[in-house]
Amino acid sequence: MADSDGESLYEGKEYIPMDEKLDKWADVEPIEQYTQENDPGVCKIDYTPGFEEAMRYFRALLNSNEISRRMLELTQVVIKVNYGCYTAWYIRRKCLDEIGTEEDWQNEIKYLNKIGIALEKNYQIWHHRRCIVQKLNDPSNEKQFMEGILKSDDKNYHAWSYRIWFIKYFNLFDGEMEFIEKMIQDNPVNNSAWSYRYFLVNHTKEFGKETVEQEIQYAFQQIKDYKLDNEAPWVYIRGFLAKTDEEAKRSQRPNSSAKRIIITDFPFVKETCLQMLKDYEEGAHGYRFINILLLDYLIGEGLKEEANEVIDKLATVYDPIRENYWKYRKIS
Amino acid sequence: MDVKKMLKVLESIPDDSFERTIFYLSANLQNCLKMQSMQSYRLTCAYFIIGSLSLLKVFDDQEQIDKLPFTKEQIIDWVYSFQIEDENSENDSDQDESDSALDHNYHGFRGDDFYSIKKDSKSQTHIHQGDFPHLANTYSAICVLKMLGDDLSRVNCEQIIQSLKYFQKEDGRIQCLPVDSEDDVRFAYCAAAIHKMMAEKLGDLDIPPSFDVDKMIEFYKNCLSYDGGFGWFPESESHAGLTYCLLGAFKCLGRLDDLSDDKERIIEWLVSRQCMETNGFQGRVNKIPDTCYCFWNSASLAILDNTFPTEFVHKESITEFCEDCKRFGGYAKLVFSEFPDIVHTYYTLAFYSLIEDERLNKLDPLLAIPQTKLMLPT
């Protein structure tokens, strides 16, 4: 039954349910996939022999509606050869739900930790992890697991979304602000980290002028310390600010996760922009960002002519690849 | 054909037209090579390949069709073989009745063909357990059929519309299977687009979706992030692909107006994803440009206003970026990628179509398939 193919799924010992424990599988009649004679085989995919064998057994157990320990083991083999197989992930959870012992659930997390890095961009595994951690009601391992994942890719979208989920679900906000300050310091252009900071501020600080001012100051400092051409802190600053009272009011409705305050409540924003326009050279990368924030402020003040002047400069000098967009923004 | 042989043939084809691209796609239509982990998404693979060929006007020309490894009819029948039918209802007495009744509420297209087993010497049946329709595959199947000029007469339109409610979770979001499964914004788009295409086929655009639209809109509206883009879940980072899915879902359901207060911020976020120094489009703030985001951003703009892509996209620099990613006739993800893939090939061509490349058929940015309805007799 085993094959000597280098790509076989029988390399790692723990993935050998059929081969090593023949007794367990003796009563199973593997089922071939039925392919009609006239099947054209569009988008045919080349499978390894190991893959086909796993699928034959999986087919057999699915067909007999079996939910068992050996099905649990088999799904692991199927996932190994075809991690996108959403059916295998689903059946695996069904096995755990119906016959899983406390130990099985604990082992599941160990299993996910082990394959987690290799499958860090796989959608199914992240959903699976969420289900398991929820069921175990134990997030104690999660921050540590995250560390490895973020070390491999500090912008991993799955990982950040997952972190938002478990921090919120288990209310683990303690220490998160320190964590994110370090992340931003390590890589100030990491917008995932900035976005996460926004989430933290939303949940741990009282929304109001004071908080917003602190956050804007922090972001300005990051820009000055690191580089002007770092869009992340710029969009972060603008995310707290509305250009009109009406916009501010609307953004502050209950349930809103992006509350904003009218920009003219923060005169230091304008002063800082004007100062930065002087401090940096006109040709500096990122000079456009100062102008874009200043533009927001001028619109907030209702200074139409000054605003249009900035727009003209953006269209022609600072941000010419968006010339038509800036023309569209012209205030009549 | 193995890879080496394929490359050899490719090199003999001139690179100044899309001839190489068609060869590359045609080879993939025959064999997606070693994409074992895509086994559960073969219909989605077909969507990218057929979509590309369709944009390249291959199906408008009988001579070109004849060169493909399959006839249109073969591909159409193959797609239908993935549709979940009520095959057990007639004479399969072994089935637990309540169980089968439950499962038969789930209509659509499965992504795997591994459920198909031999029933007797002449016919096939399908394994029952785990055989669920998958929203991305259902969306892909319907798109492929439409692109090949099929009239959808064999699609169980009413049942599919009714099934969509089983994909909705209590909080309003949509998951990919009718049982516990991944539930990001992509599937909200699929559900909305499937509903729209089914309603169109039935000739009644007023058919209400079977899922709770208000609840769904309420949930996804909160995915709008502080910077004007949309994320995967409420409070996650803005992402151009997910922004497309969300705008598309709202538009398919006729609810784009629910976002009108934030429309200008969304436009600015999308337009700002064009990278000034490196050319190309990025999917998130400060990420490197990637060909598929040329499509996600431009098509999102097109959903908001049809004239936006030609107006706001810097054609020259973005096209230069895409051409820098061209490999062996196909398009790769990044400037330093070694090989092309069918996903990035499709989205690059779709982007070209949006900025009115005359060599291509026009794209419908909302359904992400060519506009041309090829209702040729089959």
Side-chain angles (χ1 to χ4, degrees):
Chain A
M1 202 185 295
D3 56 73
S4 54
D5 178 3
E7 285 177 272
S8 157
L9 55 121
Y10 304 115
E11 290 161 302
K13 268 202 171 170
E14 63 182 291
Y15 299 114
I16 316 180
M18 298 165 233
D19 195 33
E20 275 201 343
K21 299 169 186 164
L22 277 174
D23 288 353
K24 194 189 288 181
W25 300 95
D27 63 312
V28 179
E29 186 79 46
I31 302 179
E32 291 290 337
Q33 180 174 322
Y34 180 71
T35 311
Q36 278 169 314
E37 268 172 41
N38 57 0
D39 181 86
V42 181
C43 299
K44 205 171 148 288
I45 293 173
D46 286 346
Y47 304 130
T48 56
F51 181 96
E52 296 206 7
E53 188 192 37
M55 291 321 254
R56 279 197 289 271
Y57 276 84
F58 191 41
R59 215 173 275 126
L61 295 201
L62 280 176
N63 194 38
S64 57
N65 281 316
E66 183 171 320
I67 292 296
S68 62
R69 298 210 65 78
R70 64 181 183 185
M71 181 57 129
L72 185 66
E73 286 173 34
L74 183 58
T75 54
Q76 198 164 324
V77 181
V78 174
I79 287 165
K80 187 164 191 236
V81 293
N82 178 14
Y83 53 80
C85 184
Y86 46 81
T87 309
W89 288 101
Y90 164 73
I91 295 289
R92 187 164 180 84
R93 278 197 297 282
K94 206 171 168 192
C95 290
L96 286 167
D97 273 334
E98 291 180 19
I99 55 146
T101 61
E102 177 63 28
E103 200 193 343
D104 288 328
W105 284 93
Q106 293 293 346
N107 284 337
E108 191 66 3
I109 264 297
K110 286 181 199 150
Y111 164 61
L112 291 177
N113 286 342
K114 210 171 129 193
I115 62 172
I117 295 263
L119 297 184
E120 64 183 4
K121 295 281 168 71
N122 170 269
Y123 288 88
Q124 285 80 27
I125 195 174
W126 287 101
H127 176 72
H128 191 73
R129 188 174 189 98
R130 182 152 54 119
C131 297
I132 304 302
V133 169
Q134 204 164 352
K135 170 82 182 189
L136 282 169
N137 200 24
D138 173 16
S140 57
N141 174 51
E142 297 313 281
K143 284 191 185 180
Q144 201 195 339
F145 171 71
M146 278 286 117
E147 224 171 276
I149 294 282
L150 293 177
K151 208 170 269 174
S152 151
D153 173 7
D154 66 0
K155 297 179 183 177
N156 182 326
Y157 198 83
H158 299 266
W160 286 104
S161 297
Y162 178 73
R163 191 177 189 108
I164 286 175
W165 170 75
F166 81 78
I167 294 292
K168 208 156 65 169
Y169 187 83
F170 294 103
N171 193 13
L172 297 173
F173 288 96
D174 270 3
E176 284 302 276
M177 209 43 136
E178 292 73 24
F179 156 78
I180 205 62
E181 282 190 6
K182 182 158 187 320
M183 287 298 293
I184 291 176
Q185 206 169 353
D186 289 349
N187 185 9
V189 298
N190 183 358
N191 191 60
S192 303
W194 284 94
S195 179
Y196 189 76
R197 183 183 173 97
Y198 187 92
F199 154 76
L200 290 179
V201 168
N202 230 349
H203 286 267
T204 59
K205 295 190 179 182
E206 199 187 331
F207 179 79
K209 261 184 90 170
E210 198 185 332
T211 299
V212 169
E213 182 163 341
Q214 277 169 7
E215 290 308 302
I216 295 174
Q217 296 284 17
Y218 170 80
F220 270 137
Q221 200 55 48
Q222 282 294 330
I223 293 166
K224 291 173 189 166
D225 289 351
Y226 184 65
K227 64 172 181 176
L228 187 63
D229 189 21
N230 177 6
E231 192 170 359
W234 286 108
V235 296
Y236 186 77
I237 293 171
R238 297 179 69 215
F240 286 105
L241 302 170
K243 292 192 275 284
T244 63
D245 284 320
E246 197 240 327
E247 183 195 339
K249 203 175 149 196
R250 213 174 46 227
S251 77
Q252 290 178 30
R253 69 182 189 277
N255 287 334
S256 164
S257 50
K259 295 187 172 72
R260 298 189 288 282
I261 294 179
I262 177 77
I263 191 167
T264 46
D265 276 5
F266 303 94
F268 81 92
V269 168
K270 188 178 184 182
E271 287 153 28
T272 310
C273 286
L274 292 172
Q275 189 59 44
M276 285 173 99
L277 287 176
K278 286 184 210 153
D279 293 346
Y280 291 88
E281 280 181 37
E282 231 186 328
H285 280 328
Y287 203 73
R288 63 188 165 120
F289 296 129
I290 315 173
N291 284 277
I292 292 171
L293 181 58
L294 178 64
L295 173 62
D296 285 349
Y297 203 96
L298 296 171
I299 294 171
E301 287 182 299
L303 298 175
K304 204 173 93 182
E305 263 171 50
E306 280 95 328
N308 276 337
E309 273 171 37
V310 175
I311 288 175
D312 285 338
K313 277 282 209 178
L314 280 162
T316 53
V317 186
Y318 306 134
D319 196 23
I321 65 160
R322 274 169 281 270
E323 184 187 351
N324 288 342
Y325 169 71
W326 292 116
K327 282 183 183 158
Y328 158 88
R329 286 281 303 272
K330 270 298 254 298
I331 307 159
S332 52
Chain B
M1 196 185 298
D2 67 26
V3 181
K4 275 184 195 157
K5 201 171 158 199
M6 184 174 138
L7 291 181
K8 219 173 166 188
V9 180
L10 264 172
E11 274 161 14
S12 67
I13 303 172
D15 195 23
D16 52 1
S17 68
F18 280 128
E19 218 181 315
R20 268 195 196 192
T21 316
I22 293 171
F23 178 84
Y24 165 76
L25 291 162
S26 178
N28 271 280
L29 188 60
Q30 201 155 22
N31 192 325
C32 286
L33 301 170
K34 296 230 179 277
M35 294 175 30
Q36 206 160 275
S37 65
M38 285 299 280
Q39 193 247 7
S40 304
Y41 304 92
R42 273 171 77 195
L43 284 174
T44 305
C45 293
Y47 161 80
F48 292 124
I49 300 167
I50 300 294
S52 303
L53 291 169
S54 178
L55 281 172
L56 290 163
K57 302 185 179 174
V58 167
F59 297 111
D60 303 358
D61 176 0
Q62 192 56 46
E63 211 176 296
Q64 298 237 52
I65 297 173
D66 292 343
K67 283 188 206 156
L68 294 175
F70 310 106
T71 65
K72 285 204 293 185
E73 294 70 26
Q74 276 179 316
I75 304 171
I76 288 170
D77 287 344
W78 173 77
V79 171
Y80 275 116
S81 74
F82 286 78
Q83 186 169 217
I84 293 184
E85 304 276 0
D86 296 340
E87 59 185 292
N88 294 324
S89 54
E90 291 161 30
N91 47 16
D92 197 338
S93 52
D94 303 344
Q95 290 290 344
D96 177 290
E97 270 193 16
S98 60
D99 194 24
S100 71
L102 180 74
D103 273 18
H104 287 159
N105 286 324
Y106 304 148
H107 283 265
F109 289 74
R110 56 177 76 88
D112 273 312
D113 58 355
F114 83 94
Y115 295 97
S116 176
I117 57 175
K118 202 167 178 176
K119 192 173 186 180
D120 48 55
S121 59
K122 277 182 194 153
S123 63
Q124 70 184 100
T125 185
H126 287 89
I127 295 167
H128 193 59
Q129 189 180 205
D131 186 16
F132 298 118
H134 184 283
L135 286 187
N137 285 304
T138 303
Y139 160 80
S140 299
I142 299 164
C143 288
V144 171
L145 292 173
K146 278 172 78 97
M147 291 189 284
L148 291 172
D150 181 70
D151 62 2
L152 308 186
S153 59
R154 285 182 274 163
V155 178
N156 304 321
C157 300
E158 287 98 344
Q159 290 99 317
I160 289 178
I161 285 183
Q162 288 315 314
S163 288
L164 289 173
K165 61 175 173 286
Y166 299 110
F167 294 80
Q168 188 167 37
K169 289 191 170 176
E170 236 170 72
D171 59 9
R173 72 178 89 180
I174 306 287
Q175 54 188 353
C176 65
L177 300 179
V179 291
D180 169 45
S181 49
E182 310 104 75
D183 52 16
D184 59 82
V185 181
R186 295 174 303 156
F187 304 110
Y189 170 77
C190 290
I194 291 166
H195 174 81
K196 183 177 156 60
M197 291 190 284
M198 294 294 90
E200 272 171 8
K201 164 62 192 166
L202 294 170
D204 180 3
L205 294 174
D206 295 330
I207 300 175
S210 63
F211 49 90
D212 185 333
V213 176
D214 288 335
K215 219 173 176 182
M216 174 177 159
I217 298 281
E218 202 43 47
F219 179 86
Y220 289 107
K221 254 175 97 167
N222 284 323
C223 295
L224 181 65
S225 177
Y226 60 88
D227 58 5
F230 290 88
W232 191 319
F233 300 120
E235 304 189 88
S236 49
E237 187 185 3
S238 295
H239 182 292
L242 303 173
T243 299
Y244 171 84
C245 289
L246 212 135
L247 294 175
F250 277 50
K251 178 120 177 197
C252 282
L253 297 168
R255 297 290 293 267
L256 204 53
D257 285 349
D258 286 55
L259 300 172
S260 55
D261 286 343
D262 293 297
K263 189 176 166 189
E264 294 306 318
R265 300 177 73 232
I266 300 168
I267 295 169
E268 187 179 350
W269 187 85
L270 291 164
V271 171
S272 304
R273 302 284 63 74
Q274 292 180 83
C275 305
M276 197 160 161
E277 279 81 31
T278 50
N279 293 345
F281 264 107
Q282 62 191 184
R284 293 186 255 159
V285 170
N286 283 344
K287 289 276 282 183
I288 55 167
D290 170 333
T291 47
C292 73
Y293 293 112
C294 299
F295 169 79
W296 298 120
N297 285 294
S298 306
S300 297
L301 286 167
I303 287 173
L304 294 170
D305 188 317
N306 252 324
T307 65
F308 283 168
T310 43
E311 224 177 295
F312 295 156
V313 173
H314 196 261
K315 247 187 191 177
E316 296 73 27
S317 69
I318 310 286
T319 306
E320 195 186 318
F321 166 77
C322 293
E323 289 305 305
D324 282 347
C325 296
K326 198 171 183 186
R327 310 276 186 279
F328 309 109
Y331 290 87
K333 180 181 166 74
L334 310 168
V335 220
F336 44 81
S337 303
E338 206 177 335
F339 295 107
D341 63 70
I342 52 175
V343 178
H344 291 85
T345 300
Y346 182 58
Y347 288 129
T348 304
L349 295 173
F351 162 71
Y352 280 170
S353 172
L354 280 176
I355 54 165
E356 299 183 337
D357 188 322
E358 295 285 314
R359 299 169 297 173
L360 300 165
N361 275 323
K362 267 197 182 327
L363 188 89
D364 172 353
L366 182 57
L367 295 176
I369 54 174
Q371 281 174 8
T372 334
K373 277 191 186 157
L374 298 155
M375 288 303 179
L376 304 172
T378 51

